[in-house]
Amino acid sequence: MGSKSAAFLLSLNLLLFSAISCHSSEPPAAKCPPLHVCASLLLPPVKSDPQCCPLLGGLVELEAVVCLCTFLKIDLGIIQINLDLFLNLILNACGRKDKTYTCPSH
């Protein structure tokens, strides 16, 4: 009887831990390309960049936003107020003009 209850508890633990890890509230980590070439898009006139836009074209919308926000925060050290503005400048210059994008706050 003891081995049956131990097996049941072990199975229940595995089920609960897998359910918790599947429903994480964090977005999946994006594999970001080297976006340092996108810094040139922040200089006027803002226009499509043949080095940056293809890198972003390979990313889905959420990945592009997360990668660009991380790049703007860490690599360029841009303050929070300007993040959304610069994010939209880069994405719009690369043809993603359907909506307004915002950087996730931490």
Side-chain angles (χ1 to χ4, degrees):
M1 178 93 164
S3 64
K4 286 184 181 181
S5 59
F8 173 74
L9 287 176
L10 180 61
S11 299
L12 184 61
N13 277 340
L14 289 173
L15 178 67
L16 291 176
F17 282 125
S18 65
I20 290 171
S21 66
C22 288
H23 297 291
S24 173
S25 63
E26 293 290 317
K31 294 180 178 145
C32 300
L35 295 175
H36 61 276
V37 297
C38 295
S40 65
L41 281 173
L42 300 176
L43 302 172
V46 178
K47 58 183 179 176
S48 179
D49 185 289
Q51 292 179 329
C52 176
C53 294
L55 293 175
L56 295 174
L59 300 173
V60 294
E61 185 175 290
L62 177 63
E63 290 175 331
V65 169
V66 169
C67 288
L68 277 172
C69 290
T70 303
F71 164 70
L72 291 169
K73 287 178 188 175
I74 296 172
D75 291 348
L76 295 182
I78 295 176
I79 59 174
Q80 182 68 33
I81 296 168
N82 294 328
L83 281 178
D84 295 338
L85 172 69
F86 292 130
L87 171 68
N88 283 288
L89 281 174
I90 293 172
L91 289 173
N92 289 341
C94 290
R96 296 188 184 201
K97 298 180 183 181
D98 293 341
K99 63 183 197 176
T100 302
Y101 300 95
T102 57
C103 286
S105 58
H106 293 287

